[in-house]
Amino acid sequence: MHQVVAIPPEKTPAVVAVLCDAFSDYPVMRYVLAGSEGDYSDNLSTLIGFFVEQRERVWQQLGSEAQVRYEFLGEAWPNVGVTEPNLHLNMIGIRQGQAGRGLGRALLDAIHTMSERDPDSTGVSLTTETAANVPFYQHCGYHIVGHEQMVDGLETWGFFRPNDTTGKDDR
């Protein structure tokens, strides 16, 4: 049985390392970091750290142009989102070498359980910018609620999985 827990500060570097591996070629990361000064791997670690550390420090390091590109995406994502109260899964990833072992499914199952237990949540929403992820999320019971071309070469799909489908999807 897998359990989702808050990240203790001493584990932050390990979590950032796993997410950097999982998202090293992700279209959003490539788009936001395009033209940034410095090493891509270092900048990716900083950007991923944005989600688990101090945001202001991140933008100081990556620069205002990266922040503007990220905020542009943030304005576009609601167009493929869900309006009813839900838990939104902002980032999920496993090391590339661990793909196909059921770890992604286990992480999704944990967030589905969290949503079921939350009286204010009607389900789970998420987005992906990788077309290859679309069938996986559909297999896990998600429905496409939006699709948008954000900029040339970068598109996003919005998904929603209502709580009442738990246990009814193909496993």
Side-chain angles (χ1 to χ4, degrees):
M1 178 74 170
H2 301 280
Q3 182 179 6
V4 175
V5 296
I7 303 167
E10 67 274 8
K11 300 275 186 177
T12 298
V15 170
V16 169
V18 168
L19 292 173
C20 283
D21 183 68
F23 287 92
S24 64
D25 292 323
Y26 204 66
V28 167
M29 303 310 176
R30 293 279 179 195
Y31 172 75
V32 171
L33 296 175
S36 295
E37 293 185 23
D39 178 71
Y40 177 79
S41 295
D42 290 341
N43 288 341
L44 180 64
S45 180
T46 299
L47 183 58
I48 299 269
F50 173 80
F51 297 99
V52 293
E53 295 176 0
Q54 292 278 336
R55 292 177 184 229
E56 191 167 316
R57 181 190 61 79
V58 168
W59 292 131
Q60 285 177 345
Q61 183 171 339
L62 293 179
S64 62
E65 290 181 18
Q67 183 177 5
V68 166
R69 285 190 298 273
Y70 183 81
E71 288 171 354
F72 165 77
L73 296 175
E75 291 171 11
W77 277 315
N79 296 330
V80 295
V82 178
T83 57
E84 57 263 13
N86 67 89
L87 298 184
H88 180 76
L89 185 55
N90 190 46
M91 183 178 278
I92 182 174
I94 59 167
R95 291 194 181 272
Q96 294 178 25
Q98 300 295 314
R101 299 181 62 186
L103 298 174
R105 179 58 186 244
L107 290 170
L108 288 175
D109 287 346
I111 192 74
H112 299 154
T113 299
M114 291 170 66
S115 181
E116 288 286 332
R117 291 179 180 161
D118 184 338
D120 296 326
S121 178
T122 62
V124 178
S125 65
L126 58 84
T127 61
T128 188
E129 290 69 40
T130 301
N133 291 345
V134 171
F136 172 70
Y137 291 126
Q138 289 174 318
H139 177 77
C140 292
Y142 286 83
H143 306 282
I144 296 174
V145 294
H147 177 230
E148 188 169 311
Q149 183 76 31
M150 298 174 83
V151 296
D152 191 34
L154 180 61
E155 58 188 318
T156 189
W157 291 262
F159 288 91
F160 183 66
R161 181 180 190 261
N163 284 340
D164 62 2
T165 65
T166 301
K168 297 177 185 174
D169 58 319
D170 296 332
R171 291 197 181 238

